[in-house]
Amino acid sequence: MDTDRGRRVFHRLGPSGSSDNGSMKQQKVCYHWRQGKCNRNPCFFLHHELPAVANGTSKRAHQGFGVDDNRGGGIRRSGNYYFNNTPGRVQSLLGSSGSAGNRTFKKIEKLCNHWVQGNCRYGDNCKYLHQWSTGDCFSLLTPLEGHQQVVTGITLPSGSDKLYTGSQDETVRVWDCQSGQVVGVLNLGGAVGCMLSEGPWLFVGLTNLVKAWNIETSLDLSLNGPVGQVYSLVVGNDLLFAGVQEGTILAWKFNVATNSFEPAASLKGHTLAVVTLVVGANRVYSGSMDHSIKVWDLETLCCLQTLTEHIDVVMSLLCWDQFLLSASLDKTVKVWAATENGNLEVTFTHNEEHGLLTLFGMHDSEAKPVLLCSSNDNSIRAYDLPTFSERGKIFSKKEVRSIQVGPGGLFFTGDGSGQVTVWKWSAETTPA
């Protein structure tokens, strides 16, 4: 440091810029040059990257092309893992790299809105992503377009070659799995809140109603009783459960003699809408807008426990192995395990930067358990279980509300724009 008339002057590190201006160059890379549009001549900033430092990594004055975010920790457990979705190795958390001239930079992990609209003028030099996913664990096969509003349900009935998708645009679309073409559109006259397939039955949650279709016999039934929108459906112990807007959980049982579903029970306890249901370990778990999770005995249908650790809406529940996973708008995924007395307690909390909407568990191409977490930043993150190491990320036009697994490594996502997307797990090669 020198002094100049009483003012402190700090020497800049590194060599002077080499150009016609020589020593007049400041040791800072020109922002406009980086964008390919500097029109100053002469320019008092560098029109080249700073030289490599001693450790061999590139020193960049502009740090906006990626922030390291290593998410580690998690639950560790040996054994065979399985999922009930009714309802160490990280490729790169930053996604792909871009290049401009002889320099290479990591892109900001955000989808380029101009590229989505088809008018980005920066091309490969854009600092935002021009791709729908990061990581090499999955690839986009094709979009299925037709819905006009958010997709709230996706189901692929067992043994069927048809994919069914439901939306708040009041329709259910039927897609041929071979051609990817729409082969039928059902106009229901009300917004679809959720969908479920069980055996030959296709269930659709509507306002004040649950529709039931037998896709083998074409039997069409209407299950009355709900008050308000039906947000969630699940089957357990030969009962169909529906989470309803008013906060109740209704149950029906199929009567073979009358070939109809008859009311069986009404589970009350939540004070606001029940938006997610899952069955596991002889229990029914319900998540609500009242921020709570309730545990119900599947035999007696009595409430055994109320979990109140979340501080916002519980959007999604998932049973994995002997654990219950819950996702909330409070930006956390909580992992619950049973104690010696049988009650559930939080054993691990995974934090995200955005509110969570949907959890879905599946296995990758190597049969490893993977958790997909949809957030309200229009992305899905894929995590290895049980470590919660990030595998990759999927981007969409709007938030993803529905995820469903298919055969042969396929899975489907439905977003707020009405688009359904078909994805496939990539086969990973293990070094010899």
Side-chain angles (χ1 to χ4, degrees):
M1 180 183 75
D2 295 333
T3 59
D4 180 13
R5 298 181 181 178
R7 295 176 298 175
R8 291 183 297 177
V9 180
F10 290 88
H11 293 298
R12 295 182 180 272
L13 298 178
S16 299
S18 58
S19 69
D20 293 340
N21 296 327
S23 59
M24 294 178 61
K25 287 279 187 179
Q26 298 190 47
Q27 296 304 301
K28 180 178 180 182
V29 180
C30 175
Y31 173 80
H32 300 286
W33 172 80
R34 265 207 170 101
Q35 301 297 318
K37 54 184 180 181
C38 180
N39 56 10
R40 293 178 294 192
N41 186 17
C43 179
F44 293 98
F45 297 95
L46 297 178
H47 279 202
H48 61 81
E49 293 296 334
L50 292 173
V53 295
N55 62 5
T57 61
S58 175
K59 180 179 179 181
R60 297 172 298 171
H62 180 66
Q63 295 295 330
F65 290 105
V67 178
D68 290 335
D69 183 9
N70 295 318
R71 294 181 174 88
I75 51 176
R76 291 173 172 80
R77 186 178 177 87
S78 60
N80 296 320
Y81 305 115
Y82 64 93
F83 293 102
N84 189 339
N85 288 291
T86 310
R89 171 191 51 199
V90 184
Q91 160 65 20
S92 173
L93 211 55
L94 297 167
S96 60
S97 297
S99 61
N102 294 324
R103 66 190 181 96
T104 301
F105 57 86
K106 288 184 177 179
K107 291 177 177 285
I108 294 176
E109 198 177 70
K110 181 181 178 182
L111 200 63
C112 175
N113 291 328
H114 297 289
W115 175 75
V116 172
Q117 298 168 8
N119 57 10
C120 180
R121 61 190 179 92
Y122 293 111
D124 293 339
N125 296 332
C126 181
K127 63 181 179 180
Y128 297 106
L129 293 177
H130 284 197
Q131 59 195 54
W132 292 106
S133 65
T134 63
D136 60 355
C137 52
F138 33 62
S139 57
L140 188 154
L141 292 188
T142 185
L144 304 177
E145 298 179 342
H147 284 298
Q148 302 303 310
Q149 295 184 40
V150 56
V151 177
T152 52
I154 303 173
T155 184
L156 184 64
S158 177
S160 173
D161 62 348
K162 302 294 188 295
L163 178 74
Y164 295 80
T165 60
S167 167
Q168 288 186 358
D169 64 8
E170 304 185 355
T171 68
V172 169
R173 288 181 172 265
V174 187
W175 310 82
D176 183 87
C177 292
Q178 299 299 321
S179 66
Q181 300 300 310
V182 176
V183 294
V185 179
L186 304 175
N187 293 289
L188 303 179
V192 175
C194 56
M195 291 179 66
L196 172 69
S197 63
E198 182 71 19
W201 290 98
L202 175 67
F203 302 101
V204 179
L206 302 170
T207 301
N208 305 326
L209 185 70
V210 174
K211 292 290 293 183
W213 287 284
N214 189 311
I215 60 176
E216 294 179 355
T217 65
S218 299
L219 180 64
D220 181 353
L221 300 175
S222 296
L223 284 59
N224 297 303
V227 177
Q229 181 70 57
V230 176
Y231 288 114
S232 52
L233 293 165
V234 71
V235 170
N237 197 26
D238 294 328
L239 293 172
L240 171 67
F241 296 92
V244 185
Q245 184 175 357
E246 66 166 349
T248 61
I249 303 170
L250 300 181
W252 294 268
K253 189 175 181 66
F254 186 71
N255 188 320
V256 178
T258 61
N259 205 26
S260 63
F261 288 89
E262 298 179 349
S266 177
L267 285 60
K268 297 182 179 180
H270 286 293
T271 58
L272 293 175
V274 177
V275 295
T276 178
L277 292 168
V278 70
V279 169
N282 205 36
R283 301 284 188 268
V284 179
Y285 304 96
S286 56
S288 170
M289 288 186 179
D290 64 14
H291 307 177
S292 74
I293 301 169
K294 287 188 177 292
V295 184
W296 311 83
D297 187 283
L298 192 55
E299 299 291 338
T300 66
L301 301 183
C302 293
C303 183
L304 303 177
Q305 188 181 3
T306 301
L307 312 175
T308 58
E309 278 75 359
H310 283 294
I311 59 174
D312 209 329
V313 178
V314 179
M315 295 294 295
S316 186
L317 297 172
L318 169 69
C319 287
W320 173 68
D321 197 21
Q322 299 179 31
F323 300 98
L324 174 71
L325 279 66
S326 60
S328 169
L329 292 180
D330 65 11
K331 306 178 184 179
T332 67
V333 176
K334 293 187 182 294
V335 182
W336 308 78
T339 59
E340 292 182 358
N341 62 9
N343 288 333
L344 292 178
E345 291 184 354
V346 175
T347 62
F348 176 74
T349 297
H350 172 77
N351 295 290
E352 290 281 355
E353 296 180 358
H354 303 274
L356 292 152
L357 304 175
T358 305
L359 294 180
F360 197 90
M362 63 179 67
H363 294 87
D364 66 8
S365 58
E366 297 181 348
K368 298 175 182 177
V370 178
L371 178 68
L372 300 183
C373 299
S374 168
S375 302
N376 56 15
D377 66 340
N378 305 344
S379 73
I380 301 174
R381 288 171 174 81
Y383 294 106
D384 278 328
L385 288 178
T387 61
F388 272 89
S389 298
E390 186 168 321
R391 293 278 298 275
K393 185 185 290 187
I394 289 173
F395 301 95
S396 57
K397 295 179 180 178
K398 291 188 177 180
E399 77 284 353
V400 171
R401 295 279 182 169
S402 302
I403 306 174
Q404 185 57 257
V405 68
L410 299 179
F411 64 97
F412 311 90
T413 60
D415 68 22
S417 72
Q419 180 169 294
V420 177
T421 306
V422 186
W423 301 87
K424 184 177 178 61
W425 282 100
S426 303
E428 299 182 72
T429 57
T430 304

